[in-house]
Amino acid sequence: MQTFQTGQKTQLGQLTPATQLTLSARVTGPAAEYDLILFGLDAEGKLADDRYMVFYNQPRSPEGALSMQSGARGEKVFTLDLGRLPASVRRLSLASTVDEGAFSEIDHAEVTLSADGRPVATYRVTGRDFQAQKAVMLLDVYFKDVWRVGAVGQGFNGGLAALVRHFGGEVADTPASRPPTPSAAPSPAPAPTPTPVPTPAPAAPPVSLQKITLDKQGSSTKLSLKKGGGSDPIRVNLNWERGGGLFRAGADLDLGCMYVMNDGSRGVIQALGNRFGSERLAPHIGLDHDDRTGAARDGENLTIYRPDLIHTVLIFAFIYEGTSDFTRVKGRLSLKDPRGNEITVQLSNPDMRRTFCAIASVENVGGEVKITKEERYFGDHQECDEHYGFGFRWSAGNK
Protein backbone atom coordinates (compact mmCIF):
# COMPACT_ATOMS: atom_id res chain seq x y z
CA MET A 1 0.00 0.00 0.00
CA GLN A 2 1.34 3.41 -0.97
CA THR A 3 1.36 6.25 1.59
CA PHE A 4 0.72 9.66 0.02
CA GLN A 5 2.16 13.02 1.11
CA THR A 6 0.40 16.33 0.50
CA GLY A 7 0.76 17.30 -3.17
CA GLN A 8 1.77 13.81 -4.32
CA LYS A 9 0.10 12.42 -7.48
CA THR A 10 0.26 9.14 -9.35
CA GLN A 11 -1.56 7.22 -12.05
CA LEU A 12 -4.33 5.03 -10.70
CA GLY A 13 -3.07 2.20 -12.92
CA GLN A 14 0.15 2.07 -10.91
CA LEU A 15 -1.92 1.30 -7.79
CA THR A 16 -4.59 -0.97 -9.26
CA PRO A 17 -6.12 -1.87 -12.64
CA ALA A 18 -9.61 -1.76 -11.07
CA THR A 19 -12.09 1.04 -11.79
CA GLN A 20 -14.48 0.05 -9.00
CA LEU A 21 -13.02 1.64 -5.89
CA THR A 22 -13.85 2.64 -2.35
CA LEU A 23 -12.71 5.68 -0.39
CA SER A 24 -12.92 5.26 3.38
CA ALA A 25 -12.50 8.46 5.35
CA ARG A 26 -12.62 9.47 8.98
CA VAL A 27 -11.90 12.71 10.84
CA THR A 28 -11.37 12.66 14.60
CA GLY A 29 -11.34 15.74 16.80
CA PRO A 30 -13.28 17.74 19.38
CA ALA A 31 -16.15 18.87 17.14
CA ALA A 32 -19.52 17.17 17.38
CA GLU A 33 -19.51 16.40 13.66
CA TYR A 34 -17.17 16.49 10.68
CA ASP A 35 -19.07 16.20 7.40
CA LEU A 36 -17.49 14.31 4.49
CA ILE A 37 -18.53 15.20 0.94
CA LEU A 38 -17.54 13.74 -2.43
CA PHE A 39 -17.84 16.30 -5.26
CA GLY A 40 -18.27 15.11 -8.85
CA LEU A 41 -16.69 17.81 -11.03
CA ASP A 42 -16.17 18.41 -14.73
CA ALA A 43 -12.83 18.50 -16.55
CA GLU A 44 -12.32 22.11 -15.41
CA GLY A 45 -12.85 21.17 -11.80
CA LYS A 46 -16.28 22.81 -11.62
CA LEU A 47 -19.54 21.57 -10.16
CA ALA A 48 -21.99 21.47 -13.05
CA ASP A 49 -24.72 19.48 -11.29
CA ASP A 50 -25.34 19.49 -7.53
CA ARG A 51 -26.74 15.95 -7.76
CA TYR A 52 -23.07 14.91 -7.81
CA MET A 53 -22.48 16.26 -4.30
CA VAL A 54 -22.60 12.94 -2.45
CA PHE A 55 -22.87 13.28 1.32
CA TYR A 56 -24.95 12.30 4.38
CA ASN A 57 -28.32 13.37 3.00
CA GLN A 58 -27.72 12.73 -0.70
CA PRO A 59 -25.99 9.35 -0.48
CA ARG A 60 -25.82 8.48 -4.18
CA SER A 61 -25.48 10.05 -7.61
CA PRO A 62 -28.37 9.69 -10.11
CA GLU A 63 -27.04 6.58 -11.86
CA GLY A 64 -25.46 5.10 -8.72
CA ALA A 65 -21.85 5.42 -9.87
CA LEU A 66 -21.10 7.25 -6.61
CA SER A 67 -22.56 6.33 -3.24
CA MET A 68 -21.85 6.75 0.45
CA GLN A 69 -22.59 4.72 3.54
CA SER A 70 -21.48 4.72 7.17
CA GLY A 71 -18.70 2.37 8.18
CA ALA A 72 -17.12 1.34 11.46
CA ARG A 73 -15.75 3.80 14.03
CA GLY A 74 -17.43 6.83 12.48
CA GLU A 75 -15.99 6.20 9.00
CA LYS A 76 -17.77 7.19 5.81
CA VAL A 77 -17.27 4.82 2.89
CA PHE A 78 -17.68 6.16 -0.65
CA THR A 79 -18.09 3.68 -3.50
CA LEU A 80 -16.78 4.80 -6.91
CA ASP A 81 -17.55 3.11 -10.22
CA LEU A 82 -15.48 5.09 -12.70
CA GLY A 83 -16.85 3.18 -15.69
CA ARG A 84 -20.43 4.28 -14.94
CA LEU A 85 -19.70 7.97 -14.50
CA PRO A 86 -21.09 10.28 -17.19
CA ALA A 87 -18.52 11.92 -19.46
CA SER A 88 -19.27 15.25 -17.77
CA VAL A 89 -17.75 14.06 -14.48
CA ARG A 90 -13.96 13.88 -14.72
CA ARG A 91 -12.80 14.68 -11.20
CA LEU A 92 -13.90 13.31 -7.83
CA SER A 93 -12.81 15.46 -4.90
CA LEU A 94 -13.24 14.23 -1.34
CA ALA A 95 -13.54 17.03 1.21
CA SER A 96 -14.47 17.52 4.84
CA THR A 97 -16.16 20.47 6.58
CA VAL A 98 -16.89 21.46 10.17
CA ASP A 99 -19.36 24.01 11.56
CA GLU A 100 -17.79 24.56 14.98
CA GLY A 101 -14.04 24.94 15.45
CA ALA A 102 -11.38 24.50 12.79
CA PHE A 103 -9.22 21.76 11.30
CA SER A 104 -6.22 22.92 13.34
CA GLU A 105 -8.01 21.27 16.28
CA ILE A 106 -8.39 17.79 14.76
CA ASP A 107 -6.44 14.76 15.92
CA HIS A 108 -6.16 13.50 12.37
CA ALA A 109 -8.01 12.91 9.10
CA GLU A 110 -7.30 9.71 7.19
CA VAL A 111 -8.39 8.54 3.73
CA THR A 112 -7.84 5.01 2.39
CA LEU A 113 -8.30 4.07 -1.26
CA SER A 114 -9.17 0.39 -1.79
CA ALA A 115 -9.85 -1.90 -4.75
CA ASP A 116 -11.33 -5.40 -4.57
CA GLY A 117 -11.37 -5.11 -0.79
CA ARG A 118 -7.61 -4.42 -0.60
CA PRO A 119 -6.14 -1.04 0.49
CA VAL A 120 -3.87 0.38 -2.23
CA ALA A 121 -3.17 3.91 -0.95
CA THR A 122 -3.61 6.01 2.17
CA TYR A 123 -3.33 9.71 3.01
CA ARG A 124 -3.23 11.16 6.54
CA VAL A 125 -3.10 14.72 7.89
CA THR A 126 -3.22 16.13 11.43
CA GLY A 127 -4.22 19.43 13.01
CA ARG A 128 -0.64 20.65 12.66
CA ASP A 129 -1.17 20.77 8.88
CA PHE A 130 -3.91 23.44 9.16
CA GLN A 131 -4.80 26.72 10.83
CA ALA A 132 -8.30 28.29 10.78
CA GLN A 133 -9.67 26.24 7.89
CA LYS A 134 -13.26 25.01 8.27
CA ALA A 135 -13.27 23.11 4.95
CA VAL A 136 -10.46 20.90 3.64
CA MET A 137 -9.97 19.09 0.34
CA LEU A 138 -8.35 15.73 1.07
CA LEU A 139 -7.97 13.44 -1.96
CA ASP A 140 -8.81 13.66 -5.67
CA VAL A 141 -9.42 10.89 -8.19
CA TYR A 142 -9.35 12.56 -11.61
CA PHE A 143 -9.01 11.88 -15.34
CA LYS A 144 -6.11 13.47 -17.24
CA ASP A 145 -5.36 11.19 -20.20
CA VAL A 146 -5.72 8.37 -17.66
CA TRP A 147 -7.27 8.18 -14.20
CA ARG A 148 -4.98 9.56 -11.52
CA VAL A 149 -4.93 10.03 -7.75
CA GLY A 150 -3.71 13.14 -5.92
CA ALA A 151 -3.41 14.13 -2.26
CA VAL A 152 -4.53 17.75 -1.84
CA GLY A 153 -4.56 18.86 1.81
CA GLN A 154 -5.76 22.42 1.17
CA GLY A 155 -8.63 24.26 2.78
CA PHE A 156 -10.77 27.37 3.17
CA ASN A 157 -11.49 29.45 6.25
CA GLY A 158 -14.99 30.13 4.90
CA GLY A 159 -16.15 26.54 5.31
CA LEU A 160 -18.61 24.75 3.04
CA ALA A 161 -19.80 27.91 1.27
CA ALA A 162 -16.24 28.84 0.26
CA LEU A 163 -15.62 25.26 -0.88
CA VAL A 164 -18.72 25.24 -3.10
CA ARG A 165 -17.76 28.60 -4.62
CA HIS A 166 -14.25 27.26 -5.29
CA PHE A 167 -15.83 24.49 -7.34
CA GLY A 168 -17.88 27.03 -9.32
CA GLY A 169 -21.15 26.39 -7.52
CA GLU A 170 -23.48 29.23 -6.68
CA VAL A 171 -24.48 29.52 -3.06
CA ALA A 172 -28.12 30.56 -2.74
CA ASP A 173 -28.78 33.65 -0.64
CA THR A 174 -30.67 33.21 2.59
CA PRO A 175 -33.90 35.23 2.68
CA ALA A 176 -32.36 37.70 5.13
CA SER A 177 -29.37 38.38 2.88
CA ARG A 178 -31.27 39.06 -0.33
CA PRO A 179 -31.35 42.73 -1.36
CA PRO A 180 -34.72 44.47 -1.14
CA THR A 181 -36.85 44.56 -4.27
CA PRO A 182 -36.54 48.01 -5.89
CA SER A 183 -39.67 50.13 -6.00
CA ALA A 184 -41.50 50.44 -9.28
CA ALA A 185 -40.28 53.11 -11.67
CA PRO A 186 -42.26 54.86 -14.43
CA SER A 187 -42.52 52.81 -17.61
CA PRO A 188 -40.01 53.95 -20.26
CA ALA A 189 -41.08 54.96 -23.73
CA PRO A 190 -41.57 52.06 -26.18
CA ALA A 191 -38.35 50.91 -27.78
CA PRO A 192 -37.81 49.03 -31.04
CA THR A 193 -38.15 45.27 -30.73
CA PRO A 194 -34.61 43.82 -30.57
CA THR A 195 -33.47 41.05 -32.85
CA PRO A 196 -34.00 37.69 -31.08
CA VAL A 197 -30.82 36.09 -29.82
CA PRO A 198 -30.34 32.43 -28.87
CA THR A 199 -31.24 31.62 -25.28
CA PRO A 200 -28.15 30.45 -23.38
CA ALA A 201 -28.21 27.08 -21.67
CA PRO A 202 -29.50 27.32 -18.12
CA ALA A 203 -26.84 27.57 -15.44
CA ALA A 204 -26.51 24.94 -12.76
CA PRO A 205 -28.99 25.59 -9.94
CA PRO A 206 -27.51 27.36 -6.92
CA VAL A 207 -26.48 25.22 -4.01
CA SER A 208 -28.54 26.24 -1.00
CA LEU A 209 -26.57 26.54 2.23
CA GLN A 210 -29.09 28.17 4.54
CA LYS A 211 -28.37 27.80 8.24
CA ILE A 212 -31.37 28.81 10.31
CA THR A 213 -31.81 28.77 14.06
CA LEU A 214 -35.34 28.63 15.44
CA ASP A 215 -35.02 30.56 18.68
CA LYS A 216 -38.54 31.14 19.91
CA GLN A 217 -41.34 28.65 20.56
CA GLY A 218 -43.65 28.71 17.54
CA SER A 219 -41.04 30.08 15.12
CA SER A 220 -40.90 28.13 11.85
CA THR A 221 -39.29 27.84 8.44
CA LYS A 222 -39.96 25.86 5.27
CA LEU A 223 -38.03 23.57 2.93
CA SER A 224 -39.19 22.85 -0.61
CA LEU A 225 -40.29 19.33 -1.57
CA LYS A 226 -40.23 19.98 -5.30
CA LYS A 227 -36.69 18.80 -6.00
CA GLY A 228 -36.32 15.02 -6.29
CA GLY A 229 -40.07 14.47 -6.56
CA GLY A 230 -40.42 15.16 -2.85
CA SER A 231 -38.43 12.09 -1.87
CA ASP A 232 -35.29 13.87 -0.66
CA PRO A 233 -34.68 12.69 2.91
CA ILE A 234 -34.47 14.96 5.95
CA ARG A 235 -31.88 13.98 8.56
CA VAL A 236 -32.64 14.82 12.19
CA ASN A 237 -29.80 14.79 14.74
CA LEU A 238 -30.06 15.00 18.54
CA ASN A 239 -26.95 15.84 20.49
CA TRP A 240 -26.22 17.00 24.01
CA GLU A 241 -23.20 18.22 25.90
CA ARG A 242 -21.85 19.65 29.14
CA GLY A 243 -21.30 23.36 29.53
CA GLY A 244 -17.58 22.81 28.94
CA GLY A 245 -18.24 21.25 25.53
CA LEU A 246 -17.54 17.62 26.44
CA PHE A 247 -20.19 15.00 25.87
CA ARG A 248 -21.96 14.07 29.06
CA ALA A 249 -21.13 10.44 29.78
CA GLY A 250 -23.91 8.57 31.54
CA ALA A 251 -26.83 10.71 30.38
CA ASP A 252 -29.17 8.65 28.20
CA LEU A 253 -31.36 10.91 26.07
CA ASP A 254 -33.54 9.16 23.51
CA LEU A 255 -34.65 10.63 20.19
CA GLY A 256 -37.96 9.59 18.66
CA CYS A 257 -41.07 10.79 16.91
CA MET A 258 -44.83 10.39 16.76
CA TYR A 259 -46.16 10.51 13.21
CA VAL A 260 -49.32 10.67 11.10
CA MET A 261 -49.00 9.87 7.39
CA ASN A 262 -51.08 11.26 4.53
CA ASP A 263 -52.92 7.92 4.32
CA GLY A 264 -53.99 8.23 7.98
CA SER A 265 -51.61 5.63 9.40
CA ARG A 266 -49.84 6.64 12.61
CA GLY A 267 -47.25 5.33 15.04
CA VAL A 268 -44.11 5.95 17.07
CA ILE A 269 -40.41 5.54 16.21
CA GLN A 270 -38.06 5.20 19.20
CA ALA A 271 -35.44 2.92 20.76
CA LEU A 272 -37.82 2.04 23.59
CA GLY A 273 -39.54 -1.15 22.46
CA ASN A 274 -37.04 -1.50 19.55
CA ARG A 275 -39.23 0.55 17.24
CA PHE A 276 -36.36 1.74 15.03
CA GLY A 277 -38.35 1.97 11.77
CA SER A 278 -36.97 1.37 8.28
CA GLU A 279 -35.92 3.13 5.10
CA ARG A 280 -37.64 0.55 2.89
CA LEU A 281 -40.85 -0.06 4.82
CA ALA A 282 -43.64 2.34 5.77
CA PRO A 283 -43.57 4.90 7.27
CA HIS A 284 -40.05 5.24 5.74
CA ILE A 285 -38.71 6.82 8.93
CA GLY A 286 -35.65 5.27 10.57
CA LEU A 287 -33.69 5.73 13.82
CA ASP A 288 -30.04 4.77 13.41
CA HIS A 289 -29.09 3.63 16.93
CA ASP A 290 -29.58 4.11 20.66
CA ASP A 291 -26.78 6.18 22.23
CA ARG A 292 -26.98 4.96 25.83
CA THR A 293 -24.26 7.22 27.31
CA GLY A 294 -23.96 10.35 25.18
CA ALA A 295 -20.46 9.24 24.20
CA ALA A 296 -21.24 8.94 20.47
CA ARG A 297 -19.96 12.06 18.74
CA ASP A 298 -22.86 12.08 16.27
CA GLY A 299 -25.54 11.57 18.94
CA GLU A 300 -28.73 9.93 17.69
CA ASN A 301 -30.10 10.34 14.17
CA LEU A 302 -33.59 9.99 12.76
CA THR A 303 -34.13 10.13 8.98
CA ILE A 304 -37.44 10.98 7.32
CA TYR A 305 -36.79 9.24 4.00
CA ARG A 306 -40.09 10.21 2.33
CA PRO A 307 -41.22 13.59 3.63
CA ASP A 308 -43.71 13.76 0.77
CA LEU A 309 -45.70 10.93 2.43
CA ILE A 310 -45.97 12.48 5.88
CA HIS A 311 -48.76 14.60 7.30
CA THR A 312 -47.18 15.48 10.66
CA VAL A 313 -44.09 14.24 12.50
CA LEU A 314 -43.56 15.37 16.09
CA ILE A 315 -39.89 14.97 17.08
CA PHE A 316 -39.28 14.38 20.77
CA ALA A 317 -36.52 13.55 23.25
CA PHE A 318 -36.86 12.01 26.67
CA ILE A 319 -34.46 11.25 29.48
CA TYR A 320 -34.28 7.51 29.99
CA GLU A 321 -31.66 7.54 32.74
CA GLY A 322 -28.37 9.11 33.88
CA THR A 323 -29.60 12.64 34.65
CA SER A 324 -32.58 14.14 36.40
CA ASP A 325 -33.71 16.85 33.97
CA PHE A 326 -32.94 18.79 30.79
CA THR A 327 -31.20 21.64 32.65
CA ARG A 328 -28.18 19.36 33.15
CA VAL A 329 -27.56 18.78 29.44
CA LYS A 330 -27.34 21.25 26.57
CA GLY A 331 -29.65 19.54 24.12
CA ARG A 332 -29.84 20.63 20.50
CA LEU A 333 -31.66 19.32 17.45
CA SER A 334 -30.56 19.88 13.86
CA LEU A 335 -32.40 19.05 10.65
CA LYS A 336 -30.59 18.87 7.31
CA ASP A 337 -31.73 18.28 3.75
CA PRO A 338 -29.66 17.16 0.72
CA ARG A 339 -29.15 20.72 -0.53
CA GLY A 340 -27.21 21.82 2.53
CA ASN A 341 -30.01 23.60 4.37
CA GLU A 342 -29.59 23.21 8.12
CA ILE A 343 -32.12 24.13 10.79
CA THR A 344 -31.09 24.17 14.45
CA VAL A 345 -33.40 24.03 17.45
CA GLN A 346 -31.77 24.64 20.84
CA LEU A 347 -33.46 23.47 24.03
CA SER A 348 -33.17 26.93 25.53
CA ASN A 349 -35.87 26.81 28.23
CA PRO A 350 -35.51 23.44 29.99
CA ASP A 351 -38.03 22.45 32.67
CA MET A 352 -36.49 20.98 35.84
CA ARG A 353 -39.68 19.08 36.68
CA ARG A 354 -40.21 17.13 33.46
CA THR A 355 -38.16 14.60 31.50
CA PHE A 356 -39.97 14.54 28.14
CA CYS A 357 -39.64 17.30 25.51
CA ALA A 358 -41.59 17.74 22.27
CA ILE A 359 -38.86 19.59 20.35
CA ALA A 360 -40.15 20.30 16.85
CA SER A 361 -42.95 19.47 14.45
CA VAL A 362 -42.43 18.65 10.77
CA GLU A 363 -45.48 19.09 8.53
CA ASN A 364 -46.13 18.57 4.83
CA VAL A 365 -47.87 21.78 3.74
CA GLY A 366 -48.65 22.28 0.05
CA GLY A 367 -45.43 20.83 -1.36
CA GLU A 368 -43.23 22.24 1.38
CA VAL A 369 -41.94 20.93 4.70
CA LYS A 370 -42.79 23.29 7.53
CA ILE A 371 -40.56 22.94 10.60
CA THR A 372 -41.75 24.58 13.82
CA LYS A 373 -40.02 24.88 17.19
CA GLU A 374 -42.23 23.39 19.90
CA GLU A 375 -40.00 22.90 23.00
CA ARG A 376 -42.87 21.83 25.24
CA TYR A 377 -42.08 19.72 28.30
CA PHE A 378 -44.22 16.88 29.65
CA GLY A 379 -44.07 14.20 32.30
CA ASP A 380 -44.13 11.33 29.79
CA HIS A 381 -45.19 10.13 26.32
CA GLN A 382 -48.88 9.89 27.21
CA GLU A 383 -49.09 13.46 28.50
CA CYS A 384 -47.49 14.69 25.28
CA ASP A 385 -49.86 12.59 23.17
CA GLU A 386 -52.87 14.00 25.01
CA HIS A 387 -51.68 17.53 24.26
CA TYR A 388 -51.14 16.92 20.52
CA GLY A 389 -54.02 14.46 20.01
CA PHE A 390 -52.34 11.52 18.27
CA GLY A 391 -54.59 9.10 20.16
CA PHE A 392 -52.18 6.26 21.03
CA ARG A 393 -52.64 3.65 23.74
CA TRP A 394 -49.57 3.60 26.02
CA SER A 395 -48.06 0.94 28.28
CA ALA A 396 -44.84 0.78 30.30
CA GLY A 397 -41.72 -0.34 28.42
CA ASN A 398 -37.99 -0.73 28.86
CA LYS A 399 -34.79 -1.26 26.87
Side-chain angles (χ1 to χ4, degrees), residues 48-82:
D49 188 336
D50 67 0
R51 295 178 302 168
Y52 286 86
M53 282 179 59
V54 176
F55 61 124
Y56 58 85
N57 235 353
Q58 185 167 272
R60 67 191 303 273
S61 61
E63 73 296 298
L66 308 174
S67 64
M68 186 196 81
Q69 62 184 5
S70 296
R73 301 177 301 137
E75 281 187 337
K76 299 301 180 185
V77 180
F78 295 86
T79 301
L80 289 53
D81 189 341
L82 304 180

Side-chain angles (χ1 to χ4, degrees), residues 180-294:
T181 303
S183 57
S187 300
T193 303
T195 303
V197 296
T199 302
V207 178
S208 174
L209 299 174
Q210 295 188 48
K211 291 184 179 289
I212 299 169
T213 298
L214 301 180
D215 292 316
K216 298 180 180 179
Q217 186 184 65
S219 58
S220 64
T221 188
K222 292 182 178 179
L223 301 174
S224 175
L225 277 175
K226 295 178 181 179
K227 186 170 181 176
S231 59
D232 281 345
I234 296 175
R235 180 177 183 252
V236 182
N237 172 261
L238 173 69
N239 235 317
W240 57 98
E241 58 183 84
R242 265 191 282 216
L246 298 175
F247 285 88
R248 183 177 178 85
D252 185 5
L253 271 64
D254 279 357
L255 174 66
C257 72
M258 303 178 193
Y259 65 84
V260 178
M261 308 303 288
N262 285 329
D263 63 5
S265 60
R266 62 190 63 206
V268 179
I269 301 294
Q270 61 177 358
L272 194 64
N274 292 319
R275 298 177 178 270
F276 285 91
S278 169
E279 177 181 359
R280 297 178 179 85
L281 303 176
H284 306 288
I285 301 174
L287 179 66
D288 64 345
H289 66 279
D290 178 21
D291 180 8
R292 298 295 296 270
T293 66

Side-chain angles (χ1 to χ4, degrees), residues 57-397:
N57 235 353
Q58 185 167 272
R60 67 191 303 273
S61 61
E63 73 296 298
L66 308 174
S67 64
M68 186 196 81
Q69 62 184 5
S70 296
R73 301 177 301 137
E75 281 187 337
K76 299 301 180 185
V77 180
F78 295 86
T79 301
L80 289 53
D81 189 341
L82 304 180
R84 294 178 61 193
L85 283 173
S88 58
V89 177
R90 298 287 86 180
R91 179 179 292 266
L92 305 174
S93 184
L94 180 65
S96 181
T97 66
V98 65
D99 290 334
E100 300 177 1
F103 275 86
S104 60
E105 303 169 0
I106 67 170
D107 298 326
H108 67 274
E110 187 169 12
V111 183
T112 300
L113 177 68
S114 300
D116 299 321
R118 180 178 62 87
V120 296
T122 186
Y123 175 56
R124 180 186 175 98
V125 288
T126 70
R128 293 189 298 273
D129 298 306
F130 305 106
Q131 296 180 349
Q133 293 92 335
K134 300 176 77 69
V136 172
M137 297 178 292
L138 296 171
L139 193 79
D140 284 1
V141 178
Y142 62 100
F143 188 86
K144 186 177 180 182
D145 301 324
V146 295
W147 283 103
R148 302 170 184 266
V149 180
V152 184
Q154 298 179 9
F156 302 88
N157 294 1
L160 179 58
L163 183 63
V164 171
R165 291 190 182 100
H166 171 76
F167 288 139
E170 179 184 352
V171 180
D173 291 332
T174 62
S177 65
R178 291 178 185 143
T181 303
S183 57
S187 300
T193 303
T195 303
V197 296
T199 302
V207 178
S208 174
L209 299 174
Q210 295 188 48
K211 291 184 179 289
I212 299 169
T213 298
L214 301 180
D215 292 316
K216 298 180 180 179
Q217 186 184 65
S219 58
S220 64
T221 188
K222 292 182 178 179
L223 301 174
S224 175
L225 277 175
K226 295 178 181 179
K227 186 170 181 176
S231 59
D232 281 345
I234 296 175
R235 180 177 183 252
V236 182
N237 172 261
L238 173 69
N239 235 317
W240 57 98
E241 58 183 84
R242 265 191 282 216
L246 298 175
F247 285 88
R248 183 177 178 85
D252 185 5
L253 271 64
D254 279 357
L255 174 66
C257 72
M258 303 178 193
Y259 65 84
V260 178
M261 308 303 288
N262 285 329
D263 63 5
S265 60
R266 62 190 63 206
V268 179
I269 301 294
Q270 61 177 358
L272 194 64
N274 292 319
R275 298 177 178 270
F276 285 91
S278 169
E279 177 181 359
R280 297 178 179 85
L281 303 176
H284 306 288
I285 301 174
L287 179 66
D288 64 345
H289 66 279
D290 178 21
D291 180 8
R292 298 295 296 270
T293 66
R297 290 191 178 275
D298 62 347
E300 294 189 5
N301 300 280
L302 183 92
T303 303
I304 304 173
Y305 292 100
R306 293 292 305 273
D308 56 315
L309 300 180
I310 69 169
H311 180 277
T312 301
V313 173
L314 180 69
I315 300 167
F316 63 77
F318 69 96
I319 298 172
Y320 185 74
E321 61 184 13
T323 188
S324 59
D325 60 75
F326 280 96
T327 65
R328 298 175 180 273
V329 291
K330 289 187 176 181
R332 65 181 181 272
L333 191 82
S334 64
L335 303 95
K336 297 181 181 181
D337 74 1
R339 291 172 297 286
N341 296 303
E342 180 175 353
I343 299 159
T344 300
V345 181
Q346 298 279 0
L347 301 187
S348 51
N349 297 289
D351 188 330
M352 292 181 64
R353 301 165 298 168
R354 296 178 173 89
T355 58
F356 187 104
C357 180
I359 304 176
S361 61
V362 182
E363 302 172 274
N364 185 342
V365 181
E368 292 181 310
V369 171
K370 180 181 179 182
I371 300 168
T372 303
K373 179 176 180 176
E374 301 287 336
E375 197 181 359
R376 300 178 187 272
Y377 293 89
F378 303 94
D380 55 22
H381 294 69
Q382 184 169 346
E383 186 179 330
C384 175
D385 181 12
E386 289 171 356
H387 177 88
Y388 287 97
F390 285 91
F392 299 122
R393 296 175 61 185
W394 297 94
S395 60

